[in-house]
Amino acid sequence: MALIATKGTLDWAYPPFILASTASALGWEVSIFFSFYGLELLKKNLQLGVSPLGNPAMPMKMPIGPDWFRSIDWKIPNAIMGNVPGFEMMAKSMFNSTLKQKGVASIEDLRSACIEADVKLVACQMTVDLFGYDKTDFVPEVAEWVGAASFLPLAAAADVCLYI
């Protein structure tokens, strides 16, 4: 399986690591190509945010209170999300609380599970150069630093190829 991860927010960090760790547990060979904002997922110190403004399908659920209160899907207009100071920090806090309550593994834990399962982590060198990153910013388990032209033949040969 070949995955291409291009998103660097907390909510978008879960799909590539869940899919990769699951496929690896099934005995598949898995590679993930991290490009553009997806490179954030390979950094040693993860500082991932959440942007409900950028993801209007993201449900806003309260992580506290009785079940009936937590099940409300709060329809918050974009004008409020975009203009209320601290809204994204509140959304991140709510999201983290919900993940913890539901017993969902952290991104660090999922990334470690992928590393232990020999998932090949591939960083886009062009993006590293474009954003002025240094290789020391990233986890040492990055297997390769290549461009898209080097990853695409691997993706073309994969049985499953997903763009996330």
Side-chain angles (χ1 to χ4, degrees), residues 12-29:
W12 279 99
Y14 279 92
F17 289 128
I18 289 172
L19 291 166
S21 60
T22 302
S24 184
L26 293 172
W28 298 12
E29 288 184 33

Side-chain angles (χ1 to χ4, degrees), residues 50-121:
V50 173
S51 178
L53 181 61
N55 186 1
M58 182 179 193
M60 294 297 297
K61 304 272 187 183
M62 293 296 170
I64 57 171
D67 288 341
W68 66 267
F69 184 70
R70 288 190 312 215
S71 67
I72 296 172
D73 187 5
W74 299 90
K75 302 291 184 194
I76 301 171
N78 283 349
I80 292 174
M81 287 192 271
N83 291 311
V84 172
F87 190 86
E88 287 191 357
M89 289 301 295
M90 180 190 73
K92 178 181 175 180
S93 176
M94 290 168 56
F95 190 66
N96 276 326
S97 293
T98 301
L99 290 168
K100 191 173 185 175
Q101 285 176 5
K102 299 294 182 180
V104 177
S106 70
I107 294 303
E108 292 87 352
D109 290 341
L110 287 170
R111 183 173 66 186
S112 293
C114 286
I115 291 167
E116 289 175 29
D118 293 324
V119 170
K120 188 176 180 182
L121 307 178

